[in-house]
């Protein structure tokens, strides 16, 4: 890959959610492998083996190019989150050896206007963890001390609050990549527990947006999820040495197998990207996208995929080998190709009813597309 594509993929790692990359203690739930990358620059046959039918796109989606400015106020623009049918949360950055985020704002799709929200201080880096309605939750890391903190910003009022100062060493653990969610007026997140500098556990905490107070929600729990109209999280059964998804409102728990690198939810379903095995012919890692509750493997991939995302209609993922933009349709239980003539490193932003396809290339500018569901048959 040339440097432009490498930088964009690295930058998307800052923008998008939920990627567990390394393990620094036995109580941290993640697979022990590095950030995936593409080492195949030539055109090859599809990396995917689909376990569901592949249907024509015409029956399902409307898709059209999305024209976004390459720069605003002398800084480059990257879309981060869909806020509404007409608004995007965007990051403005300067490109050095790696992209450096300078400020965050709202871009109006209809008028093309940009509204400043907040600046990122010198020597700090951020990752957007949650953005919905007027609430933006982000992690901030100090490059000198490596200390991390959690913040919430109100788009309506401009108020920016420190939610939590994470424990020393937090940003060096896989917990740093766990999800943060907002639910019923509270923000849920996790932090590590250490003894004499050794990681001994991870606890789930909650921050009350009304009282502005943080408190312990559950010991030995992490990675909060919104599943089946409620709060869920990952726990470890020490006796069995196994991980489970548990619910805050019911006794049911869902076992998690080995090799899961990332999770995403959509209403009552749980999807995972798995680091499954080494292929018998190439010796390379085989990745898969699974529906955990249905206990089904939806596809396997001969090269790296990550960052699953889902809404009520579709499931998407990021690919590291140029591919057609293929997505999974939940109700129809099939796959569809969004664009037959577009082969790229594909990343997605999903809203409730529509999404954005981001296609980066080795030798061409990044292209953006807006797509929406017509019907599922």
């Amino acid at each position: 890959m040339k440097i432009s594509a490498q930088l964009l993929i690295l930058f998307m790692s800052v923008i998008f959610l939920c990627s567990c990359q390394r393990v620094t203690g036995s109580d941290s739930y993640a697979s022990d492998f590095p950030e995936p990358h593409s080492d195949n620059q030539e055109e090859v046959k599809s990396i995917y083996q689909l376990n569901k039918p592949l249907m024509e796109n015409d029956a399902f989606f409307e898709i059209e190019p999305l024209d976004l400015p390459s720069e605003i106020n002398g800084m480059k623009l990257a879309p981060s989150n869909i806020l509404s049918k007409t608004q995007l949360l965007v990051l403005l950055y300067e490109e050095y050896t790696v992209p450096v985020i300078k400020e965050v704002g709202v871009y109006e799709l209809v008028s093309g206007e940009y509204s400043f929200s907040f600046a990122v201080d010198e020597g700090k880096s951020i990752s957007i963890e949650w953005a919905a309605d007027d609430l933006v939750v982000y992690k901030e890391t100090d490059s000198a001390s490596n200390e991390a903190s959690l913040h919430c910003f109100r788009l309506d009022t401009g108020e920016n609050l420190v939610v939590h100062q994470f424990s020393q060493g937090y940003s060096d653990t896989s917990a740093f990549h766990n999800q943060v969610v907002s639910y019923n007026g509270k923000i849920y997140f996790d932090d590590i527990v250490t003894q004499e500098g050794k990681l001994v556990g991870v606890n789930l905490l909650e921050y009350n947006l009304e009282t502005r107070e943080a408190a312990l929600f559950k010991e030995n729990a992490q990675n909060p999820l919104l599943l089946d109209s409620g709060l869920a999280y990952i726990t470890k059964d020490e006796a069995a040495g196994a991980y489970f998804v548990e619910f805050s409102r019911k006794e049911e728990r869902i076992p998690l197998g080995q090799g899961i690198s990332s999770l995403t939810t959509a209403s009552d379903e749980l999807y995972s990207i798995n680091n499954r095995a080494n292929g018998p012919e190439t010796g390379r890692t085989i990745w898969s996208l699974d529906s955990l509750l249905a206990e089904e493997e939806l596809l396997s991939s001969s090269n790296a995929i990550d960052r699953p995302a889902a809404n009520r209609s579709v499931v998407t993922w990021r690919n590291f080998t140029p591919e057609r933009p293929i997505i999974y349709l939940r109700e129809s239980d099939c796959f569809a190709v969004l664009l037959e003539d577009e082969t790229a490193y594909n990343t997605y932003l999903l809203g409730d009813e529509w999404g954005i396809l981001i296609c980066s290339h080795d030798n061409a500018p990044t292209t953006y597309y807006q797509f929406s569901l017509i019907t599922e048959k």
Side-chain angles (χ1 to χ4, degrees):
M1 285 172 59
K2 294 194 174 180
I3 187 66
S4 59
Q6 285 180 326
L7 284 174
L8 182 62
I9 289 178
L10 175 62
F11 193 46
M12 291 306 171
S13 297
V14 176
I15 297 174
F16 298 102
L17 306 179
C18 189
S19 176
C20 299
Q21 297 178 17
R22 58 187 182 273
V23 174
T24 58
S26 61
D27 289 329
S28 204
Y29 181 78
S31 295
D32 192 9
F33 53 89
E35 181 75 11
H37 64 280
S38 170
D39 58 3
N40 188 349
Q41 301 178 34
E42 300 178 357
E43 288 191 15
V44 294
K45 64 180 182 180
S46 176
I47 64 173
Y48 301 133
Q49 178 178 318
L50 306 180
N51 298 325
K52 301 290 183 179
L54 179 64
M55 309 298 288
E56 294 293 332
N57 168 41
D58 294 345
F60 300 106
F61 291 99
E62 292 179 345
I63 185 167
E64 59 184 5
L66 177 62
D67 186 19
L68 295 177
S70 60
E71 291 190 357
I72 291 179
N73 299 335
M75 293 174 283
K76 296 187 176 183
L77 176 145
S80 174
N81 299 79
I82 293 175
L83 296 174
S84 69
K85 293 181 179 179
T86 61
Q87 291 183 322
L88 299 179
L89 188 74
V90 298
L91 308 178
L92 300 189
Y93 67 99
E94 294 178 354
E95 199 167 56
Y96 300 102
T97 305
V98 296
V100 177
I101 301 170
K102 293 295 185 178
E103 66 180 64
V104 178
V106 176
Y107 182 76
E108 300 284 346
L109 290 171
V110 177
S111 66
E113 295 180 353
Y114 169 78
S115 301
F116 170 83
S117 294
F118 63 91
V120 180
D121 293 337
E122 195 73 25
K124 303 289 181 67
S125 63
I126 67 165
S127 60
I128 305 297
E129 304 296 328
W130 177 274
D133 301 321
D134 79 319
L135 180 66
V136 177
V137 182
Y138 65 96
K139 290 177 182 175
E140 180 182 81
T141 305
D142 186 292
S143 59
S145 66
N146 209 29
E147 292 182 351
S149 53
L150 188 67
H151 301 247
C152 68
F153 179 84
R154 289 290 192 180
L155 293 170
D156 290 349
T157 65
E159 185 177 36
N160 201 339
L161 300 173
V162 177
V163 171
H164 180 72
Q165 185 71 42
F166 290 106
S167 301
Q168 186 175 3
Y170 169 79
S171 58
D172 293 322
T173 71
S174 61
F176 180 81
H177 304 283
N178 284 348
Q179 294 192 58
V180 175
V181 302
S182 178
Y183 174 68
N184 277 358
K186 296 180 179 180
I187 299 171
Y188 292 90
F189 57 97
D190 51 38
D191 197 0
I192 61 172
V193 180
T194 60
Q195 291 180 359
E196 298 180 350
K198 182 180 178 181
L199 177 64
V200 295
V202 184
N203 289 341
L204 186 64
L205 299 101
E206 62 179 7
Y207 177 82
N208 190 308
L209 288 165
E210 183 176 352
T211 65
R212 301 184 180 182
E213 294 178 344
L216 175 68
F217 180 77
K218 186 176 179 62
E219 291 185 343
N220 300 316
Q222 61 177 300
N223 203 25
L225 307 163
L226 297 183
L227 181 62
D228 200 15
S229 302
L231 179 69
Y233 39 80
I234 294 175
T235 62
K236 183 179 181 180
D237 187 322
E238 294 292 345
Y243 289 92
F244 297 85
V245 172
E246 294 189 0
F247 296 83
S248 62
R249 300 188 305 178
K250 55 184 179 180
E251 295 298 322
E252 178 187 0
R253 65 180 190 173
I254 303 166
L256 295 176
Q258 298 295 318
I260 294 177
S261 64
S262 50
L263 296 168
T264 193
T265 63
S267 57
D268 59 349
E269 185 54 278
L270 184 63
Y271 298 96
S272 67
I273 296 290
N274 301 318
N275 173 6
R276 187 157 57 86
N278 292 331
E281 296 181 1
T282 65
R284 297 175 59 122
T285 299
I286 300 297
W287 303 77
S288 66
L289 171 68
D290 288 34
S291 172
L292 291 183
L293 300 188
E295 297 182 347
E296 278 191 300
E297 180 186 282
L298 302 177
L299 69 79
S300 62
S301 173
S302 60
N303 208 338
I305 57 174
D306 75 349
R307 305 205 183 272
N311 62 17
R312 62 189 179 189
S313 301
V314 303
V315 181
T316 63
W317 57 93
R318 179 173 64 170
N319 56 282
F320 288 84
T321 296
E323 259 289 355
R324 295 179 300 168
I326 297 175
I327 63 177
Y328 174 69
L329 279 65
R330 298 183 60 214
E331 290 189 9
S332 298
D333 194 24
C334 68
F335 291 94
V337 180
L338 286 178
L339 292 168
E340 288 286 353
D341 57 352
E342 181 72 84
T343 301
Y345 308 96
N346 303 304
T347 309
Y348 302 83
L349 302 179
L350 296 182
D352 290 337
E353 299 178 355
W354 64 286
I356 293 175
L357 165 63
I358 304 170
C359 300
S360 59
H361 312 83
D362 286 327
N363 300 301
T366 298
T367 52
Y368 301 92
Y369 300 90
Q370 179 175 338
F371 63 93
S372 58
L373 190 69
I374 299 173
T375 183
E376 293 192 76
K377 298 181 181 180

